[in-house]
Structure formats: structure tokens, C-alpha cells
Amino acid sequence: MKGGRSKTETKKADPKLSVKKGGAAAGKKPVKKGKAVKDPNKPKRPASAFFVFMEDFRKQYKEKHPNNKSVATVGKAGGDKWKSLSEAEKAPFVAKAEKRKAEYEKTLQAYNKRMNEGAGTEEEESDKSRSEVNDENDDEDGSDADDDDEDDDDE
């Protein structure tokens, strides 16, 4: 071991390899940023032309190969078939996909409109309820107590 470092010295001596923890918040755990919660009412995106093709292809493939349980095999066979199709053969699937996309855009616009209207009414109600609560506080204690304090200061 001439001139060599021991394993422990190597680990301690190399600060570049050490994992740095959050400088100021070293004692605190970092806040995890999770995925945003999905809205179950939001419309699903439409299938592409390939997936429209796969809907029909799966049925045909299962009829020809009833014993096949592998999803991967069906997917590979469908992908190979899709690649071998000409543009003319793909046209009906592309048309169905475009039709679904147009329907999706309409439903998405309606959904967004409902969400914007729904959010606006919730904010108005919450502001109204806040102001009503503040008005009640002013009527009950706030205005009388302030008047008494002002009288005390004058004396």
C-alpha cells in the first residue's frame, strides 16, 4: 500500500462526491411535490388513428389467435400491420380519429366553461360570506367597543 489511501480516507477526503443537503433547511424534510389531483369530470383525450385501428385489429387478432393471452404480441402485430398499411388504407381510421377529436374539443370547451363559471360563483359566495361575517362582527362588538375606547381617550 505504498502511497495509496485507505477506503475510509477516500470517502472522507472527497467532498465533490458527497451529497449536499438543503443548506438552510438541513434539519427539515423537503416538501414533496406530488402530482396534481386529476379531475374525474374532465373529458378524456381522444384516441389517435393508430389506437382507433387497434380497436378493430384486436378483435380480428383474437378471432384468429384465441389462445394468445400476450398483450405485447398483439401490440407488436398491430404495429407491424399499421406500418404496412398505405395512406388510403389508413384513411378511415384517420377520419374516425378526427371526428373524435372534434367531439372532444367541443366537450372540453363546455367543460372549461363550466369550470370557469363554477369557480366564479364559488369565489363570489365566499367573498359574500366573508363580508357578512365581518359586518356581523362590526355590529355586535367592534363598533360599540371602538366607541367606548374613543370616549375613554377624551377624558
Side-chain angles (χ1 to χ4, degrees):
M1 295 226 103
K2 292 182 181 178
R5 293 182 184 169
S6 68
K7 291 180 182 179
T8 56
E9 287 181 75
T10 308
K11 289 180 183 176
K12 291 179 183 176
D14 199 355
K16 293 179 184 177
L17 297 177
S18 65
V19 177
K20 293 182 180 179
K21 295 181 181 176
K28 298 179 182 178
K29 292 183 180 179
V31 178
K32 293 183 180 180
K33 294 180 182 178
K35 290 184 180 179
V37 178
K38 291 185 180 180
D39 186 0
N41 298 326
K42 186 174 181 179
K44 291 186 179 182
R45 293 180 68 190
S48 66
F50 173 71
F51 285 101
V52 174
F53 162 76
M54 284 301 291
E55 291 172 2
D56 293 336
F57 181 78
R58 281 188 199 98
K59 293 174 187 173
Q60 295 171 2
Y61 193 84
K62 285 185 180 182
E63 289 173 3
K64 292 179 184 177
H65 305 91
N67 295 331
N68 183 27
K69 302 288 182 185
S70 174
V71 175
T73 305
V74 177
K76 288 178 183 178
D80 292 339
K81 175 82 174 191
W82 178 255
K83 288 178 186 177
S84 67
L85 293 178
S86 66
E87 293 299 320
E89 293 171 324
K90 291 180 182 180
F93 303 110
V94 173
K96 284 182 186 178
E98 290 295 325
K99 184 178 177 184
R100 289 183 184 183
K101 186 175 181 181
E103 291 174 7
Y104 166 76
E105 288 174 354
K106 288 179 185 177
T107 56
L108 186 64
Q109 286 177 352
Y111 169 79
N112 287 334
K113 186 175 180 182
R114 280 182 294 176
M115 292 303 293
N116 290 337
E117 289 174 358
T121 56
E122 289 174 7
E123 289 176 3
E124 290 172 5
E125 291 174 3
S126 62
D127 289 341
K128 184 184 283 186
S129 63
R130 286 182 194 142
S131 63
E132 289 173 358
V133 169
N134 291 338
D135 291 342
E136 291 173 2
N137 289 342
D138 291 340
D139 292 343
E140 291 175 5
D141 297 328
S143 60
D144 295 335
D146 291 339
D147 292 340
D148 293 340
D149 291 339
E150 290 175 8
D151 293 339
D152 293 338
D153 291 337
D154 292 336
E155 294 177 5

